[in-house]
Amino acid sequence: MNSSPRSSSSASSHPLAGYGWDEGWEAEFAPYAEQGLLPGRVVRVDRGQCDVVVADGVLRADTAFVTPHDPLRVVCTGDWVAVEPDGNPRYVRTCLPRRTAFVRSTSSKRSEGQILAANVDHAIVAVSLAAELELARVERFLALAWESGAQPLVVLTKADLVPDPATLAHLVQDVETTAPGVPVLAVSAEQGQGLDVLAATVLGGTAVLLGQSGAGKSTLANALLGTDVMDVQAIRDVDGKGRHTTTTRNLLALPGGGVLIDTPGLRGVGLWDAGSGVDQTFAEIAELAEGCRFHDCAHESEPGCAVLAAIDSGALRERRLESYRKLLRENQRIVAKTDARVRAELRKEFKRRGAIGKAAMEAKRGGLR
C-alpha cells in the first residue's frame, strides 16, 4: 500500500510540491490533465463538500460525483483529486488511488470502516504524560498505524510535567518496549523540548496527528506550524482528558516543508481488518512463535510453545500476550462480519475450545470420584 514519493524537475517545481506533489502523482494525474481538470489536495471535508488546495490557492468543491456506497472510498482529507477548472459549484471528478489510508471501525453495528486520513507518510501517536500511560491504547493506535502503510511515531507530550530525567527515561523505555521498531520521542511544546527532532522526522512528508482528547495534539500542531492555528482547551486534572479541540480533519502546510493533518480526539479506535498491523505491533511475539512446536499454536496451553516459554523465563511480559490476544480476537470479529470463511474458522475454533473445556471438566469430575 505504501509508496515512496518520487521527484522530477517538473514535479519538484510544481506549485503543489510543498503539499506532496511528486512524479508519481503527476503520472497518475496525466489522463485527467488531458481532460483539462485541475490537480489538488483535499485539506478539509464537511457536509458533502471539501476545501481543495490547487495551484492558485484553495477552492470549495462538491463531492457528489465521487460519493460511493463504500464508506472507505469517500473523499477524505489528504486525498489527491481531479477538480473542474470552473463552474458554480465546482465538482471533484475523481480521487487518485491512495498510497496509504488510516482506517478504523465505526461505533455502529453495521460493520463499516471510517477513513480518517489518506496518503500519510508518518502517523504520530500523541500520548500525554499528564496522565498514567495506557500501553494497551498505544498498542491499539500502533496496530492501525502499521496497517495504514504509514510509519508510526510515538510522541510523549507534556514531558515538562515529568521533571525527573530518570523517571522520564523509564517512561520512554516502557513505551519503546511496547512499540518495537517504532521511534519514541518525549516532547514538551511549552519548552520546545524534542520539537526540532520531531520536525526533522516529518520534514517533506505528510504526517497525521492521532490520539485521545487531551493528548496535546493541538498544542503540538501549533508548535510544529509555528503559529496558533489550532485552538487549545483546558484539560481536566482528574484524568488528563479534555473536550474535542479539533472537530474536523485539517491538512496544514508546515513551514519547513511537508504537511500535517490534525484529527479530532479519538475516544474509540476500533480495529478494521488490521491483522498485519497487529502482527507488526507485536513483532516480538510473531518472532517467538516461529519457534513453537506447532505451526498453528494458539499460545495458550500447547506443549512446546515458545511464546509461553518466554513468559515463564521473563523474556516476554504476560501483559503483552494478553493485549495481543485481545486485539487479534477483536480484529477477527470485525473481519468475520464481512467474510464467511473467517466466520466458519471462528465457529470451528469455538467448537474446538468447547470440546477441550468439556474434556477437562469430565477429567476433573472423574478424578473426584
Side-chain angles (χ1 to χ4, degrees):
M1 196 176 194
N2 200 0
S3 175
S4 299
R6 292 153 292 186
S7 62
S8 67
S9 56
S10 60
S12 60
S13 60
H14 194 278
L16 292 174
Y19 284 87
W21 184 262
D22 59 35
E23 186 181 18
W25 294 122
E26 191 171 58
E28 289 278 3
F29 192 80
Y32 306 106
E34 294 176 357
Q35 299 173 29
L37 298 175
L38 301 176
R41 193 164 193 193
V42 177
V43 297
R44 177 189 171 102
V45 178
D46 60 274
R47 300 179 183 180
Q49 293 187 314
C50 61
D51 292 337
V52 183
V53 59
V54 296
D56 295 333
V58 178
L59 57 82
R60 190 75 166 164
D62 197 297
T63 63
F65 282 100
V66 284
T67 304
H69 295 296
D70 183 354
L72 298 183
R73 296 306 308 164
V74 298
V75 176
C76 176
T77 302
D79 271 327
W80 285 97
V81 296
V83 188
E84 293 177 341
D86 49 36
N88 186 21
R90 294 191 185 191
Y91 288 94
V92 172
R93 284 293 173 174
T94 191
C95 286
L96 300 187
R98 293 164 178 154
R99 292 176 178 174
T100 64
F102 193 98
V103 182
R104 69 166 177 173
S105 66
T106 63
S107 56
S108 71
K109 297 181 180 179
R110 293 181 294 175
S111 306
E112 292 182 347
Q114 178 190 22
I115 181 164
L116 299 177
N119 302 311
V120 173
D121 301 304
H122 303 280
I124 304 173
V125 179
V127 182
S128 173
L129 291 177
E132 185 176 352
L133 283 177
E134 293 184 58
L135 297 178
R137 183 173 291 274
V138 174
E139 290 161 342
R140 179 178 292 273
F141 271 110
L142 289 176
L144 292 176
W146 279 124
E147 188 68 32
S148 75
Q151 169 63 50
L153 167 65
V154 178
V155 173
L156 303 179
T157 64
K158 308 179 185 181
D160 53 291
L161 298 181
V162 187
D164 179 39
T167 301
L168 182 59
H170 176 75
L171 291 170
V172 170
Q173 185 178 30
D174 244 10
V175 178
E176 285 176 338
T177 303
T178 301
V182 177
V184 178
L185 182 63
V187 167
S188 169
E190 296 292 334
Q191 299 181 356
Q193 176 185 347
L195 289 177
D196 54 343
V197 178
L198 178 58
T201 301
V202 301
L203 181 67
T206 297
V208 62
L209 265 174
L210 306 161
Q212 283 184 287
S213 299
K217 298 189 306 300
S218 293
T219 301
L220 189 60
N222 286 336
L224 289 172
L225 292 164
T227 181
D228 290 341
V229 174
M230 313 305 297
D231 291 333
V232 178
Q233 293 178 348
I235 305 303
R236 297 192 302 250
D237 290 334
V238 64
D239 57 8
K241 297 179 182 179
R243 293 175 294 167
H244 293 305
T245 301
T246 305
T247 56
T248 58
R249 289 175 285 280
N250 303 283
L251 185 147
L252 304 158
L254 293 169
V259 294
L260 179 71
I261 300 175
D262 192 22
T263 64
L266 302 174
R267 290 191 179 94
V269 278
L271 301 186
W272 177 259
D273 197 4
S276 63
V278 173
D279 286 342
Q280 283 181 280
T281 301
F282 298 89
E284 81 278 29
I285 294 179
E287 185 177 345
L288 286 167
E290 294 179 1
C292 292
R293 182 182 301 179
F294 304 108
H295 70 87
D296 59 348
C297 183
H299 320 308
E300 293 179 346
S301 58
E302 296 86 347
C305 175
V307 175
L308 295 180
I311 288 180
D312 290 340
S313 69
L316 177 67
R317 295 180 182 179
E318 189 167 359
R319 188 207 66 79
R320 283 283 284 173
L321 180 57
E322 287 301 319
S323 185
Y324 173 66
R325 288 169 174 164
K326 179 180 179 180
L327 291 183
L328 272 186
R329 288 193 298 268
E330 178 183 328
N331 192 65
Q332 285 178 327
R333 286 195 297 269
I334 289 294
V335 175
K337 290 180 180 180
T338 56
D339 192 318
R341 180 185 61 80
V342 175
R343 285 199 299 272
E345 289 178 353
L346 281 178
R347 283 195 294 268
K348 182 179 178 181
E349 177 63 15
F350 289 150
K351 289 180 180 179
R352 183 186 73 84
R353 292 185 180 183
I356 292 175
K358 183 178 180 181
M361 183 61 70
E362 290 178 349
K364 183 177 181 180
R365 288 172 179 170
L368 294 175
R369 291 173 183 169

